[in-house]
Amino acid sequence: SYELTQPPSVSVSPGQTASITCSGDKLGDKYACWYQQKPGQSPVLVIYQDSKRPSGIPERFSGSNSGNTATLTISGTQAMDEADYYCQAWDSSLYVFGTGTKVTVL
Amino acid sequence: QVQLQESGPGLVKPSGTLSLTCAVSGGSISSSNWWSWVRQPPGKGLEWIGEIYHSGSTNYNPSLKSRVTISVDKSKNQFSLKLSSVTAADTAVYYCARDTVAAAANWFDPWGQGTLVTVSS
């Protein structure tokens, strides 16, 4: 079955850039999206179709996808961005989520 | 804007059947979207369970397919999940979500608030 692997944790200082990777076989041939989940809350879509931002999502969130890796980048990270982030792709009629990354803003 | 709300028992006995409903408001369940269930065990990641289209067409996660039934009630603008033969491993927060498919891409947005279902005697 298809798997998406993320680093368990990423730490970033306020105002700096956080990059979260999502690795999967030929992931660049598929579309990836990203969700943010804060404690006790439902996931929120932050990036879809590799690099598009839904309405209301700050411009500091951006995405890319090439080769075997999709990347979510948070530029000028703020304390409110501290959360778990999950990538997601579709493969063979199955929706697959990444393992999740906890972003800590130190 | 579309909103989703899950409802159902928070406690299910082992070997029983988990039953949840997702009410859709602010939009029609007969729109050009699929509707999904996703679950998240406490402290763990997200797992897609399955989806349904308003026509009744379904797709299920192969790992759960033998135990899952998803149905739709267009008259009530809602869809439902049934998971049979549950064990403690099925304890999770269950979310419903609208899934959009466009140009071979797909994504879940919005999500319901989620409901915790505990499997215990």
Side-chain angles (χ1 to χ4, degrees):
Chain A
S1 62
Y2 196 74
E3 295 181 352
L4 294 173
T5 302
Q6 301 178 232
S9 63
V10 167
S11 296
V12 60
S13 299
Q16 298 304 302
T17 297
S19 294
I20 306 162
T21 58
C22 173
S23 298
D25 185 48
K26 298 180 181 179
L27 181 56
D29 291 343
K30 313 175 194 302
Y31 280 108
C33 62
W34 292 88
Y35 304 93
Q36 175 195 70
Q37 186 180 34
K38 296 182 179 180
Q41 297 184 19
S42 306
V44 173
L45 179 73
V46 294
I47 292 289
Y48 67 100
Q49 274 186 302
D50 292 342
S51 60
K52 297 182 179 179
R53 277 181 294 104
S55 174
I57 299 300
E59 290 185 9
R60 64 180 180 273
F61 289 89
S62 62
S64 63
N65 185 16
S66 180
N68 294 320
T69 305
T71 303
L72 174 68
T73 302
I74 311 174
S75 305
T77 306
Q78 299 184 9
M80 68 174 64
D81 300 328
E82 188 163 285
D84 293 329
Y85 291 82
Y86 294 90
C87 59
Q88 180 247 306
W90 181 84
D91 179 78
S92 301
S93 300
L94 177 63
Y95 296 96
V96 179
F97 289 96
T99 49
T101 299
K102 181 175 182 60
V103 171
T104 301
V105 182
L106 298 173
Chain B
Q1 62 185 34
V2 172
Q3 294 183 309
L4 296 88
Q5 178 69 58
E6 306 88 348
S7 62
L11 181 64
V12 181
K13 294 186 185 306
S15 77
T17 297
L18 178 159
S19 297
L20 296 174
T21 296
C22 179
V24 179
S25 60
S28 173
I29 202 166
S30 296
S31 63
S32 301
N33 293 101
W34 289 73
W35 305 89
S36 275
W37 288 98
V38 177
R39 70 179 182 178
Q40 184 173 37
K44 296 188 178 181
L46 301 165
E47 179 182 34
W48 177 70
I49 299 170
E51 63 180 354
I52 191 164
Y53 197 64
H54 61 78
S55 63
S57 295
T58 55
N59 293 304
Y60 298 134
N61 188 324
S63 69
L64 297 168
K65 187 174 184 177
S66 64
R67 299 194 291 131
V68 173
T69 302
I70 298 176
S71 59
V72 64
D73 186 336
K74 291 186 286 186
S75 66
K76 294 183 178 179
N77 218 37
Q78 64 186 32
F79 62 107
S80 299
L81 168 70
K82 289 189 185 298
L83 181 66
S84 63
S85 304
V86 298
T87 69
D90 295 309
T91 293
V93 175
Y94 286 76
Y95 297 100
C96 57
R98 180 181 66 179
D99 68 65
T100 298
V101 179
N106 65 82
W107 56 92
F108 299 112
D109 180 56
W111 297 60
Q113 68 181 30
T115 187
L116 174 63
V117 179
T118 301
V119 178
S120 174
S121 55

Short mmCIF file of all heavy atoms in Angstrom, two decimals, chain B residues 3-64:
data_model
loop_
_atom_site.label_atom_id
_atom_site.label_comp_id
_atom_site.label_asym_id
_atom_site.label_seq_id
_atom_site.Cartn_x
_atom_site.Cartn_y
_atom_site.Cartn_z
N GLN B 3 -21.27 23.41 6.42
CA GLN B 3 -20.85 22.96 7.74
C GLN B 3 -21.29 21.52 7.92
O GLN B 3 -22.33 21.11 7.41
CB GLN B 3 -21.43 23.84 8.84
CG GLN B 3 -20.89 25.27 8.82
CD GLN B 3 -21.42 26.11 9.96
OE1 GLN B 3 -22.62 26.15 10.19
NE2 GLN B 3 -20.52 26.76 10.69
N LEU B 4 -20.48 20.75 8.64
CA LEU B 4 -20.79 19.35 8.90
C LEU B 4 -20.79 19.11 10.41
O LEU B 4 -19.97 19.68 11.14
CB LEU B 4 -19.76 18.44 8.23
CG LEU B 4 -19.72 18.47 6.70
CD1 LEU B 4 -18.79 19.55 6.19
CD2 LEU B 4 -19.28 17.13 6.15
N GLN B 5 -21.70 18.26 10.84
CA GLN B 5 -21.83 17.96 12.26
C GLN B 5 -22.07 16.47 12.46
O GLN B 5 -23.08 15.93 12.01
CB GLN B 5 -22.99 18.75 12.86
CG GLN B 5 -23.24 18.46 14.33
CD GLN B 5 -22.12 18.99 15.21
OE1 GLN B 5 -21.82 20.17 15.22
NE2 GLN B 5 -21.49 18.08 15.95
N GLU B 6 -21.13 15.83 13.17
CA GLU B 6 -21.28 14.40 13.47
C GLU B 6 -22.14 14.19 14.70
O GLU B 6 -22.16 15.03 15.61
CB GLU B 6 -19.90 13.76 13.73
CG GLU B 6 -18.87 13.95 12.64
CD GLU B 6 -18.04 15.22 12.81
OE1 GLU B 6 -18.41 16.09 13.64
OE2 GLU B 6 -17.02 15.36 12.10
N SER B 7 -22.83 13.08 14.73
CA SER B 7 -23.61 12.71 15.92
C SER B 7 -23.68 11.20 16.02
O SER B 7 -23.59 10.49 15.01
CB SER B 7 -25.02 13.30 15.85
OG SER B 7 -25.72 12.80 14.73
N GLY B 8 -23.85 10.73 17.26
CA GLY B 8 -23.96 9.31 17.49
C GLY B 8 -23.46 8.94 18.86
O GLY B 8 -22.90 9.79 19.58
N PRO B 9 -23.63 7.68 19.26
CA PRO B 9 -23.18 7.24 20.59
C PRO B 9 -21.68 7.40 20.78
O PRO B 9 -20.90 7.14 19.85
CB PRO B 9 -23.58 5.75 20.60
CG PRO B 9 -24.63 5.62 19.56
CD PRO B 9 -24.29 6.62 18.51
N GLY B 10 -21.29 7.81 21.97
CA GLY B 10 -19.88 7.97 22.28
C GLY B 10 -19.25 6.71 22.84
O GLY B 10 -18.04 6.65 23.01
N LEU B 11 -20.08 5.72 23.14
CA LEU B 11 -19.58 4.48 23.72
C LEU B 11 -20.23 3.29 23.01
O LEU B 11 -21.46 3.24 22.88
CB LEU B 11 -19.89 4.43 25.22
CG LEU B 11 -19.42 3.20 25.99
CD1 LEU B 11 -17.88 3.13 25.98
CD2 LEU B 11 -19.94 3.24 27.42
N VAL B 12 -19.40 2.37 22.55
CA VAL B 12 -19.88 1.18 21.87
C VAL B 12 -19.20 -0.04 22.49
O VAL B 12 -18.00 0.01 22.79
CB VAL B 12 -19.57 1.24 20.36
CG1 VAL B 12 -20.09 -0.01 19.64
CG2 VAL B 12 -20.18 2.49 19.72
N LYS B 13 -19.96 -1.09 22.68
CA LYS B 13 -19.40 -2.30 23.27
C LYS B 13 -18.59 -3.09 22.25
O LYS B 13 -18.92 -3.09 21.04
CB LYS B 13 -20.50 -3.18 23.84
CG LYS B 13 -21.25 -2.57 25.02
CD LYS B 13 -22.22 -3.56 25.63
CE LYS B 13 -23.05 -2.93 26.73
NZ LYS B 13 -22.21 -2.29 27.76
N PRO B 14 -17.54 -3.78 22.71
CA PRO B 14 -16.78 -4.64 21.80
C PRO B 14 -17.68 -5.64 21.09
O PRO B 14 -18.63 -6.16 21.69
CB PRO B 14 -15.79 -5.34 22.74
CG PRO B 14 -15.64 -4.40 23.89
CD PRO B 14 -16.99 -3.76 24.07
N SER B 15 -17.38 -5.87 19.84
CA SER B 15 -18.13 -6.73 18.91
C SER B 15 -19.41 -6.09 18.41
O SER B 15 -20.09 -6.65 17.54
CB SER B 15 -18.45 -8.10 19.53
OG SER B 15 -19.52 -8.03 20.43
N GLY B 16 -19.73 -4.91 18.93
CA GLY B 16 -20.92 -4.20 18.47
C GLY B 16 -20.68 -3.41 17.20
O GLY B 16 -19.63 -3.52 16.56
N THR B 17 -21.68 -2.61 16.84
CA THR B 17 -21.61 -1.80 15.63
C THR B 17 -21.62 -0.32 15.98
O THR B 17 -22.49 0.15 16.70
CB THR B 17 -22.78 -2.11 14.68
OG1 THR B 17 -22.70 -3.48 14.25
CG2 THR B 17 -22.76 -1.20 13.46
N LEU B 18 -20.64 0.36 15.45
CA LEU B 18 -20.53 1.82 15.62
C LEU B 18 -21.39 2.47 14.55
O LEU B 18 -21.28 2.12 13.36
CB LEU B 18 -19.06 2.20 15.45
CG LEU B 18 -18.58 3.65 15.53
CD1 LEU B 18 -17.08 3.67 15.86
CD2 LEU B 18 -18.83 4.40 14.25
N SER B 19 -22.23 3.41 14.95
CA SER B 19 -23.11 4.10 14.00
C SER B 19 -23.02 5.60 14.21
O SER B 19 -23.27 6.08 15.32
CB SER B 19 -24.55 3.64 14.16
OG SER B 19 -24.70 2.27 13.87
N LEU B 20 -22.68 6.32 13.18
CA LEU B 20 -22.57 7.78 13.25
C LEU B 20 -23.28 8.41 12.05
O LEU B 20 -23.36 7.80 10.98
CB LEU B 20 -21.11 8.21 13.24
CG LEU B 20 -20.25 7.79 14.42
CD1 LEU B 20 -18.80 8.18 14.17
CD2 LEU B 20 -20.75 8.41 15.71
N THR B 21 -23.75 9.62 12.26
CA THR B 21 -24.40 10.38 11.19
C THR B 21 -23.71 11.72 11.06
O THR B 21 -23.28 12.31 12.05
CB THR B 21 -25.89 10.57 11.49
OG1 THR B 21 -26.54 9.30 11.49
CG2 THR B 21 -26.55 11.46 10.45
N CYS B 22 -23.62 12.22 9.84
CA CYS B 22 -23.06 13.53 9.56
C CYS B 22 -24.11 14.38 8.87
O CYS B 22 -24.54 14.07 7.75
CB CYS B 22 -21.82 13.40 8.68
SG CYS B 22 -21.04 14.98 8.25
N ALA B 23 -24.54 15.43 9.55
CA ALA B 23 -25.53 16.34 8.98
C ALA B 23 -24.82 17.46 8.23
O ALA B 23 -23.89 18.09 8.77
CB ALA B 23 -26.39 16.91 10.09
N VAL B 24 -25.26 17.70 7.01
CA VAL B 24 -24.67 18.73 6.17
C VAL B 24 -25.60 19.95 6.15
O VAL B 24 -26.79 19.82 5.87
CB VAL B 24 -24.46 18.22 4.74
CG1 VAL B 24 -23.87 19.32 3.85
CG2 VAL B 24 -23.55 16.99 4.74
N SER B 25 -25.07 21.11 6.46
CA SER B 25 -25.85 22.34 6.41
C SER B 25 -25.12 23.39 5.58
O SER B 25 -23.90 23.33 5.40
CB SER B 25 -26.11 22.87 7.81
OG SER B 25 -24.89 23.15 8.48
N GLY B 26 -25.88 24.34 5.05
CA GLY B 26 -25.28 25.39 4.24
C GLY B 26 -25.00 24.99 2.82
O GLY B 26 -24.37 25.75 2.08
N GLY B 27 -25.43 23.81 2.44
CA GLY B 27 -25.20 23.31 1.09
C GLY B 27 -25.90 21.99 0.91
O GLY B 27 -26.37 21.38 1.87
N SER B 28 -25.97 21.53 -0.34
CA SER B 28 -26.67 20.29 -0.62
C SER B 28 -25.72 19.11 -0.71
O SER B 28 -24.65 19.20 -1.33
CB SER B 28 -27.43 20.41 -1.94
OG SER B 28 -27.99 19.18 -2.32
N ILE B 29 -26.15 18.00 -0.13
CA ILE B 29 -25.36 16.78 -0.23
C ILE B 29 -25.37 16.25 -1.65
O ILE B 29 -24.57 15.39 -2.02
CB ILE B 29 -25.87 15.72 0.77
CG1 ILE B 29 -24.76 14.71 1.07
CG2 ILE B 29 -27.14 15.05 0.26
CD1 ILE B 29 -25.03 13.84 2.27
N SER B 30 -26.27 16.77 -2.47
CA SER B 30 -26.36 16.36 -3.87
C SER B 30 -25.49 17.20 -4.80
O SER B 30 -25.62 17.12 -6.03
CB SER B 30 -27.82 16.42 -4.35
OG SER B 30 -28.61 15.49 -3.62
N SER B 31 -24.60 17.97 -4.23
CA SER B 31 -23.65 18.75 -5.03
C SER B 31 -22.61 17.82 -5.64
O SER B 31 -22.59 16.61 -5.36
CB SER B 31 -22.97 19.80 -4.16
OG SER B 31 -22.20 19.17 -3.15
N SER B 32 -21.72 18.38 -6.44
CA SER B 32 -20.71 17.57 -7.12
C SER B 32 -19.51 17.28 -6.22
O SER B 32 -18.36 17.56 -6.56
CB SER B 32 -20.25 18.29 -8.39
OG SER B 32 -21.32 18.52 -9.25
N ASN B 33 -19.79 16.73 -5.07
CA ASN B 33 -18.73 16.38 -4.12
C ASN B 33 -18.97 14.97 -3.60
O ASN B 33 -20.09 14.48 -3.60
CB ASN B 33 -18.72 17.35 -2.93
CG ASN B 33 -18.33 18.75 -3.30
OD1 ASN B 33 -19.16 19.62 -3.45
ND2 ASN B 33 -17.05 18.96 -3.48
N TRP B 34 -17.91 14.37 -3.17
CA TRP B 34 -18.02 13.15 -2.39
C TRP B 34 -18.01 13.53 -0.93
O TRP B 34 -17.59 14.63 -0.55
CB TRP B 34 -16.86 12.21 -2.73
CG TRP B 34 -16.97 11.61 -4.10
CD1 TRP B 34 -16.76 12.25 -5.29
CD2 TRP B 34 -17.28 10.26 -4.42
NE1 TRP B 34 -16.95 11.38 -6.33
CE2 TRP B 34 -17.26 10.15 -5.82
CE3 TRP B 34 -17.57 9.12 -3.66
CZ2 TRP B 34 -17.52 8.95 -6.48
CZ3 TRP B 34 -17.83 7.92 -4.32
CH2 TRP B 34 -17.81 7.84 -5.71
N TRP B 35 -18.40 12.61 -0.07
CA TRP B 35 -18.49 12.86 1.35
C TRP B 35 -17.81 11.71 2.09
O TRP B 35 -18.13 10.55 1.86
CB TRP B 35 -19.95 13.00 1.78
CG TRP B 35 -20.66 14.07 0.99
CD1 TRP B 35 -21.31 13.90 -0.20
CD2 TRP B 35 -20.71 15.46 1.31
NE1 TRP B 35 -21.79 15.12 -0.64
CE2 TRP B 35 -21.44 16.08 0.26
CE3 TRP B 35 -20.24 16.24 2.37
CZ2 TRP B 35 -21.70 17.45 0.25
CZ3 TRP B 35 -20.50 17.60 2.34
CH2 TRP B 35 -21.22 18.20 1.30
N SER B 36 -16.87 12.07 2.96
CA SER B 36 -15.99 11.06 3.55
C SER B 36 -16.07 10.98 5.06
O SER B 36 -16.53 11.90 5.73
CB SER B 36 -14.52 11.37 3.19
OG SER B 36 -14.16 10.85 1.94
N TRP B 37 -15.61 9.83 5.57
CA TRP B 37 -15.36 9.63 6.99
C TRP B 37 -13.86 9.40 7.18
O TRP B 37 -13.24 8.64 6.43
CB TRP B 37 -16.13 8.44 7.52
CG TRP B 37 -17.62 8.69 7.63
CD1 TRP B 37 -18.59 8.32 6.74
CD2 TRP B 37 -18.29 9.35 8.70
NE1 TRP B 37 -19.81 8.73 7.19
CE2 TRP B 37 -19.67 9.36 8.38
CE3 TRP B 37 -17.88 9.94 9.89
CZ2 TRP B 37 -20.63 9.93 9.23
CZ3 TRP B 37 -18.83 10.51 10.73
CH2 TRP B 37 -20.19 10.50 10.40
N VAL B 38 -13.32 10.06 8.19
CA VAL B 38 -11.90 9.93 8.55
C VAL B 38 -11.84 9.75 10.06
O VAL B 38 -12.63 10.35 10.79
CB VAL B 38 -11.11 11.20 8.15
CG1 VAL B 38 -9.66 11.10 8.59
CG2 VAL B 38 -11.20 11.45 6.64
N ARG B 39 -10.92 8.94 10.53
CA ARG B 39 -10.82 8.76 11.98
C ARG B 39 -9.40 9.00 12.46
O ARG B 39 -8.44 8.95 11.68
CB ARG B 39 -11.30 7.38 12.40
CG ARG B 39 -10.39 6.22 11.99
CD ARG B 39 -10.98 4.90 12.48
NE ARG B 39 -10.12 3.76 12.16
CZ ARG B 39 -10.40 2.52 12.52
NH1 ARG B 39 -11.51 2.24 13.20
NH2 ARG B 39 -9.56 1.54 12.19
N GLN B 40 -9.29 9.26 13.76
CA GLN B 40 -8.00 9.55 14.38
C GLN B 40 -7.96 8.97 15.78
O GLN B 40 -8.56 9.52 16.71
CB GLN B 40 -7.76 11.07 14.43
CG GLN B 40 -6.41 11.48 14.96
CD GLN B 40 -6.19 12.97 14.82
OE1 GLN B 40 -7.10 13.77 14.99
NE2 GLN B 40 -4.94 13.35 14.50
N PRO B 41 -7.27 7.85 15.97
CA PRO B 41 -7.11 7.30 17.33
C PRO B 41 -6.42 8.32 18.22
O PRO B 41 -5.63 9.14 17.74
CB PRO B 41 -6.24 6.07 17.11
CG PRO B 41 -6.44 5.70 15.67
CD PRO B 41 -6.62 7.01 14.96
N PRO B 42 -6.70 8.28 19.51
CA PRO B 42 -6.09 9.26 20.43
C PRO B 42 -4.57 9.31 20.30
O PRO B 42 -3.90 8.29 20.38
CB PRO B 42 -6.52 8.74 21.80
CG PRO B 42 -7.79 8.01 21.55
CD PRO B 42 -7.62 7.38 20.21
N GLY B 43 -4.05 10.50 20.05
CA GLY B 43 -2.61 10.69 19.96
C GLY B 43 -1.97 10.17 18.69
O GLY B 43 -0.74 10.17 18.58
N LYS B 44 -2.79 9.76 17.73
CA LYS B 44 -2.23 9.19 16.50
C LYS B 44 -2.67 9.98 15.27
O LYS B 44 -3.27 11.04 15.37
CB LYS B 44 -2.65 7.73 16.39
CG LYS B 44 -2.09 6.86 17.51
CD LYS B 44 -2.35 5.38 17.25
CE LYS B 44 -1.74 4.52 18.36
NZ LYS B 44 -1.97 3.07 18.12
N GLY B 45 -2.34 9.44 14.09
CA GLY B 45 -2.60 10.15 12.85
C GLY B 45 -3.98 9.88 12.27
O GLY B 45 -4.82 9.21 12.87
N LEU B 46 -4.18 10.41 11.07
CA LEU B 46 -5.47 10.34 10.40
C LEU B 46 -5.57 9.12 9.49
O LEU B 46 -4.60 8.74 8.85
CB LEU B 46 -5.66 11.61 9.56
CG LEU B 46 -5.62 12.93 10.32
CD1 LEU B 46 -5.46 14.10 9.37
CD2 LEU B 46 -6.89 13.10 11.15
N GLU B 47 -6.74 8.52 9.45
CA GLU B 47 -6.99 7.36 8.59
C GLU B 47 -8.30 7.56 7.85
O GLU B 47 -9.35 7.75 8.48
CB GLU B 47 -7.04 6.07 9.41
CG GLU B 47 -7.31 4.84 8.55
CD GLU B 47 -7.41 3.56 9.37
OE1 GLU B 47 -7.89 3.62 10.52
OE2 GLU B 47 -7.02 2.49 8.85
N TRP B 48 -8.26 7.50 6.54
CA TRP B 48 -9.47 7.60 5.74
C TRP B 48 -10.24 6.28 5.80
O TRP B 48 -9.67 5.20 5.66
CB TRP B 48 -9.10 7.92 4.29
CG TRP B 48 -10.26 7.98 3.35
CD1 TRP B 48 -11.23 8.94 3.30
CD2 TRP B 48 -10.56 7.06 2.31
NE1 TRP B 48 -12.11 8.66 2.28
CE2 TRP B 48 -11.73 7.51 1.66
CE3 TRP B 48 -9.96 5.88 1.85
CZ2 TRP B 48 -12.30 6.83 0.58
CZ3 TRP B 48 -10.53 5.21 0.78
CH2 TRP B 48 -11.69 5.68 0.16
N ILE B 49 -11.55 6.39 6.03
CA ILE B 49 -12.40 5.20 6.16
C ILE B 49 -13.12 4.90 4.86
O ILE B 49 -13.16 3.74 4.40
CB ILE B 49 -13.43 5.42 7.28
CG1 ILE B 49 -12.73 5.64 8.62
CG2 ILE B 49 -14.39 4.22 7.35
CD1 ILE B 49 -13.67 6.09 9.74
N GLY B 50 -13.72 5.92 4.26
CA GLY B 50 -14.46 5.69 3.04
C GLY B 50 -15.23 6.93 2.64
O GLY B 50 -15.25 7.93 3.36
N GLU B 51 -15.90 6.85 1.47
CA GLU B 51 -16.61 8.00 0.94
C GLU B 51 -17.86 7.56 0.20
O GLU B 51 -17.99 6.40 -0.20
CB GLU B 51 -15.71 8.79 -0.01
CG GLU B 51 -15.29 8.01 -1.25
CD GLU B 51 -14.40 8.77 -2.22
OE1 GLU B 51 -14.16 9.98 -2.02
OE2 GLU B 51 -13.92 8.14 -3.18
N ILE B 52 -18.77 8.51 0.02
CA ILE B 52 -20.00 8.25 -0.70
C ILE B 52 -20.36 9.45 -1.56
O ILE B 52 -20.07 10.60 -1.20
CB ILE B 52 -21.15 7.90 0.27
CG1 ILE B 52 -22.35 7.34 -0.51
CG2 ILE B 52 -21.54 9.09 1.14
CD1 ILE B 52 -23.36 6.62 0.38
N TYR B 53 -20.98 9.17 -2.71
CA TYR B 53 -21.52 10.21 -3.58
C TYR B 53 -23.03 10.19 -3.40
O TYR B 53 -23.60 9.18 -2.96
CB TYR B 53 -21.14 9.91 -5.03
CG TYR B 53 -21.28 11.07 -5.97
CD1 TYR B 53 -20.50 12.21 -5.81
CD2 TYR B 53 -22.18 11.03 -7.04
CE1 TYR B 53 -20.62 13.28 -6.68
CE2 TYR B 53 -22.31 12.09 -7.92
CZ TYR B 53 -21.53 13.22 -7.73
OH TYR B 53 -21.65 14.28 -8.60
N HIS B 54 -23.68 11.28 -3.74
CA HIS B 54 -25.12 11.35 -3.50
C HIS B 54 -25.90 10.28 -4.26
O HIS B 54 -27.03 9.94 -3.89
CB HIS B 54 -25.66 12.75 -3.82
CG HIS B 54 -25.48 13.19 -5.25
ND1 HIS B 54 -26.29 12.76 -6.28
CD2 HIS B 54 -24.57 14.03 -5.82
CE1 HIS B 54 -25.90 13.32 -7.40
NE2 HIS B 54 -24.85 14.09 -7.15
N SER B 55 -25.29 9.74 -5.31
CA SER B 55 -25.95 8.67 -6.07
C SER B 55 -25.94 7.35 -5.30
O SER B 55 -26.66 6.41 -5.67
CB SER B 55 -25.21 8.46 -7.39
OG SER B 55 -23.88 8.03 -7.16
N GLY B 56 -25.13 7.30 -4.25
CA GLY B 56 -25.01 6.07 -3.47
C GLY B 56 -23.72 5.31 -3.75
O GLY B 56 -23.44 4.32 -3.08
N SER B 57 -22.96 5.75 -4.73
CA SER B 57 -21.68 5.12 -5.02
C SER B 57 -20.72 5.30 -3.85
O SER B 57 -20.68 6.37 -3.23
CB SER B 57 -21.05 5.72 -6.28
OG SER B 57 -21.83 5.45 -7.41
N THR B 58 -19.97 4.26 -3.55
CA THR B 58 -19.07 4.29 -2.40
C THR B 58 -17.67 3.79 -2.76
O THR B 58 -17.50 3.03 -3.71
CB THR B 58 -19.60 3.42 -1.25
OG1 THR B 58 -19.84 2.09 -1.74
CG2 THR B 58 -20.89 3.98 -0.66
N ASN B 59 -16.71 4.23 -1.99
CA ASN B 59 -15.35 3.71 -2.03
C ASN B 59 -14.91 3.54 -0.58
O ASN B 59 -15.16 4.42 0.25
CB ASN B 59 -14.39 4.67 -2.74
CG ASN B 59 -14.69 4.79 -4.20
OD1 ASN B 59 -14.72 3.81 -4.94
ND2 ASN B 59 -14.91 6.02 -4.67
N TYR B 60 -14.25 2.43 -0.27
CA TYR B 60 -13.84 2.16 1.09
C TYR B 60 -12.35 1.88 1.16
O TYR B 60 -11.73 1.37 0.22
CB TYR B 60 -14.59 0.95 1.65
CG TYR B 60 -16.10 1.11 1.74
CD1 TYR B 60 -16.95 0.10 1.30
CD2 TYR B 60 -16.67 2.27 2.27
CE1 TYR B 60 -18.33 0.22 1.39
CE2 TYR B 60 -18.06 2.40 2.36
CZ TYR B 60 -18.87 1.38 1.91
OH TYR B 60 -20.24 1.52 2.01
N ASN B 61 -11.77 2.18 2.33
CA ASN B 61 -10.41 1.79 2.61
C ASN B 61 -10.36 0.25 2.66
O ASN B 61 -11.11 -0.35 3.44
CB ASN B 61 -9.97 2.39 3.94
CG ASN B 61 -8.49 2.20 4.22
OD1 ASN B 61 -7.92 1.16 3.89
ND2 ASN B 61 -7.88 3.18 4.84
N PRO B 62 -9.51 -0.37 1.84
CA PRO B 62 -9.45 -1.84 1.84
C PRO B 62 -9.22 -2.45 3.23
O PRO B 62 -9.71 -3.55 3.50
CB PRO B 62 -8.27 -2.14 0.91
CG PRO B 62 -8.20 -0.97 0.00
CD PRO B 62 -8.58 0.21 0.85
N SER B 63 -8.53 -1.73 4.09
CA SER B 63 -8.23 -2.26 5.42
C SER B 63 -9.47 -2.36 6.30
O SER B 63 -9.47 -3.07 7.31
CB SER B 63 -7.17 -1.41 6.10
OG SER B 63 -7.69 -0.13 6.43
N LEU B 64 -10.53 -1.65 5.93
CA LEU B 64 -11.76 -1.64 6.74
C LEU B 64 -12.97 -2.10 5.95
O LEU B 64 -14.07 -2.26 6.52
CB LEU B 64 -12.02 -0.22 7.25
CG LEU B 64 -10.98 0.38 8.19
CD1 LEU B 64 -11.21 1.87 8.38
CD2 LEU B 64 -11.00 -0.33 9.54
#
